[in-house]
Amino acid sequence: MDPRTPLRPLAALVALILTGCTAGGAGVQGEPGAAGLRDPYFPKLGNGGYDVQHYDLTLDYDPATGRLAGTAELTARATQDLSAFHLDLHGLTVDSATVDGQRAAANRAGDELTVRPRRDIDDGSRFVTVIRYSGVPQAVSDSDDAREGWLRTPAGALAVGEPSGSMAWFPGNHHPADKATYDIAVTVPEGVAAVANGARTGERTSGGRTTHTWRSAEPMASYLATLAIGDLRVTTSRTAAGLPVVTAVDPKAAEESADLLGELPDHLDWCIGYFGPYPFASAGAIVVSSERIGYALETQTRPVFPLDQFDELTLVHELAHQWFGNSVSPESWQDIWLNESFATYAEWMWQEDFADVPVEDSFEKAYEDDENWAFPPAEPPGPGDLFASPVYQRGAMVLHQVRTAVGDDVFFRIVRGWASEHRHGNASTDDFTAYAEAESGKDLTGVWDVWLYGDGRPVTP
């Protein structure tokens, strides 16, 4: 039991025992939801027994002390009879927990927060959990030693979460299989910017502090949630089609990034031409100085770039992810090649259209690179390999082999159809291989066996 949870009166405990802790007196005895979804690479990530439908995050951050006070309201649906359920949360102190307005017990064991409601939750029932928490959120090192989570800066912070860093700043079901919509309200000192995913829904100042509110109306995997706080130049414009474009730039990066940011709508239109309708209600980018983060990331609607990686190909890569990875999200982390192969292939296509580098040349260059043959893209050896070269480059080679086998017309029908078929959902490698064969009417076993799952470098025809 959490030491902050008051002991229940004896009579209340006896009543709970007599009723069997069942909801509504239905007589159904619930069981705890699983702690972890048995992901092949992160077995403890995510949780079973429920599906989060919406996160409402209310955050108050003090850049001077690094202290965050948060309230996370999760609206979820039970997928079994629940006596308890788990949330992922790294560090931070849980101040209180309620389920449907009633105080709930909250216990911590590492990154697992176990919530036990006063009454069981019936399978199929909608329930609302409110977690109040506080502390100084931390950066974490992921499986390939990159820093993620909450990255504190002199004037604020940057939150990035692939694959598991989002648990450093809010409790949740932090596996890409459980996508949800989001409302994020962030209160910071007046004059400090706070930019998150989605569309800006408000900004109000009172008593020297400003609350910035953002809404992501389309489902989002939690690893794609982002928050940039600090001295940022925030600009809102629209594409020719009327899509809002919000950019946030560190003043140190403003001058060097200005031209490419101005071209973002054109790059987006190029993606739309190949991949189909843009899947979200807003677009944009966050550009920070290079010492803040060592990699670009496809955070939903608003990808994050360090200045030294803000170039045309990286922009195309992260924009392509809005379709492949963000809208169509992996069912498990083993399916990450589906994200990265399409984004890498988009780079090859861009080079063909604008740099006179045929896709075939990009394929040959990747084929000759020994690093790309370390393992099959659909079977990384471990979590530290999820973002290694074979996932990106050999994954793109898989797509090019499909294109060669089925022809251009069918291939681009597969690309657009895949993005449409699984829009705002999750999909696996098996889903993709079955879809490509169904759309093309061809048996592509040779492509899958040799290029997607095969060991070693194959001999090209």
Side-chain angles (χ1 to χ4, degrees):
M1 177 175 288
D2 190 301
R4 291 169 299 281
T5 303
L7 295 174
R8 295 190 181 102
L10 179 60
L13 288 173
V14 172
L16 283 172
I17 294 171
L18 292 175
T19 60
C21 298
T22 57
V28 177
Q29 182 67 48
E31 296 183 355
L37 293 179
R38 298 184 180 179
D39 185 276
Y41 298 94
F42 304 98
K44 295 182 179 180
L45 196 61
N47 302 284
Y50 65 97
D51 170 39
V52 181
Q53 298 171 337
H54 184 71
Y55 289 90
D56 193 341
L57 305 179
T58 302
L59 310 173
D60 190 297
Y61 185 63
D62 183 357
T65 64
R67 183 174 176 79
L68 177 72
T71 299
E73 180 180 294
L74 290 70
T75 302
R77 181 182 60 85
T79 57
Q80 66 174 69
D81 295 317
L82 282 174
S83 61
F85 56 92
H86 297 263
L87 298 171
D88 303 312
L89 182 64
H90 179 75
L92 301 173
T93 298
V94 174
D95 301 313
S96 67
T98 64
V99 176
D100 289 335
Q102 293 187 313
R103 180 96 175 184
N107 303 306
R108 295 293 295 276
D111 291 340
E112 289 291 333
L113 170 63
T114 304
V115 179
R116 186 173 296 277
R118 293 179 65 182
R119 308 177 72 181
D120 281 13
I121 301 168
D122 291 339
D123 185 8
S125 296
R126 175 182 173 275
F127 63 99
V128 177
T129 302
V130 176
I131 306 294
R132 290 182 171 83
Y133 59 100
S134 59
V136 178
Q138 301 296 315
V140 297
S141 293
D142 65 22
S143 52
D144 62 356
D145 294 326
R147 292 176 74 249
E148 57 172 302
W150 190 269
L151 309 180
R152 191 174 175 186
T153 67
L158 176 66
V160 289
E162 188 177 25
S164 59
S166 292
M167 69 170 72
W169 59 286
F170 66 95
N173 199 8
H174 289 295
H175 188 276
D178 192 0
K179 301 170 71 169
T181 56
Y182 282 73
D183 280 293
I184 301 177
V186 188
T187 300
V188 291
E190 184 177 0
V192 174
V195 176
N197 311 83
R200 186 197 298 272
T201 56
E203 183 178 311
R204 64 183 184 277
T205 299
S206 177
R209 296 182 68 78
T210 301
T211 300
H212 307 262
T213 55
W214 299 84
R215 174 168 296 163
S216 294
E218 300 88 8
M220 178 167 68
S222 66
Y223 79 90
L224 298 169
T226 192
L227 180 58
I229 298 172
D231 180 14
L232 301 169
R233 296 182 183 178
V234 182
T235 303
T236 302
S237 60
R238 291 185 179 272
T239 67
L243 181 74
V245 177
V246 179
T247 60
V249 185
D250 186 315
K252 295 179 182 179
E255 184 175 351
E256 291 185 56
S257 63
D259 289 346
L260 188 53
L261 282 175
E263 296 170 6
L264 191 155
D266 294 334
H267 287 63
L268 194 60
D269 285 341
W270 178 85
C271 290
I272 290 169
Y274 281 110
F275 308 144
Y278 182 68
F280 304 112
S282 68
I286 298 170
V287 183
V288 298
S289 58
S290 301
E291 64 265 24
R292 300 290 174 242
I293 187 172
Y295 51 88
L297 189 62
E298 64 268 23
T299 42
Q300 192 157 302
T301 70
R302 206 135 296 127
V304 172
F305 303 88
L307 179 60
D308 61 0
Q309 296 182 40
F310 188 54
D311 54 59
E312 282 197 327
L313 288 182
T314 309
L315 177 58
V316 166
H317 185 104
E318 306 306 343
L319 289 179
H321 271 312
Q322 304 307 307
W323 284 262
F324 307 108
N326 296 12
S327 178
V328 185
S329 299
E331 186 172 286
S332 81
W333 283 108
Q334 187 167 0
D335 304 307
I336 188 66
W337 81 274
L338 286 169
N339 299 19
E340 302 303 345
S341 62
F342 278 102
T344 301
Y345 202 74
E347 294 183 49
W348 294 3
M349 291 162 54
W350 177 271
Q351 287 180 297
E352 181 170 78
D353 285 356
F354 297 102
D356 296 323
V357 179
V359 167
E360 188 64 36
D361 288 0
S362 295
F363 174 90
E364 291 295 337
K365 182 179 179 181
Y367 178 84
E368 294 297 333
D369 188 341
D370 293 343
E371 288 188 5
N372 294 328
W373 304 102
F375 57 84
E379 295 180 335
D385 303 299
L386 293 181
F387 306 105
S389 294
V391 173
Y392 292 68
Q393 299 291 326
R394 187 172 168 186
M397 283 189 269
V398 172
L399 296 183
H400 192 63
Q401 288 299 304
V402 173
R403 182 177 179 179
T404 301
V406 305
D408 282 8
D409 289 346
V410 174
F411 175 74
F412 286 108
R413 188 169 76 237
I414 290 171
V415 170
R416 292 172 66 92
W418 175 250
S420 175
E421 179 82 8
H422 295 281
R423 183 181 175 96
H424 301 317
N426 295 83
S428 68
T429 298
D430 287 346
D431 291 330
F432 177 73
T433 57
Y435 183 83
E437 293 193 349
E439 282 296 303
S440 66
K442 291 193 173 186
D443 182 354
L444 299 173
T445 301
V447 174
W448 314 136
D449 287 350
V450 174
W451 295 89
L452 184 58
Y453 291 106
D455 291 323
R457 181 166 17 212
V459 177
T460 56

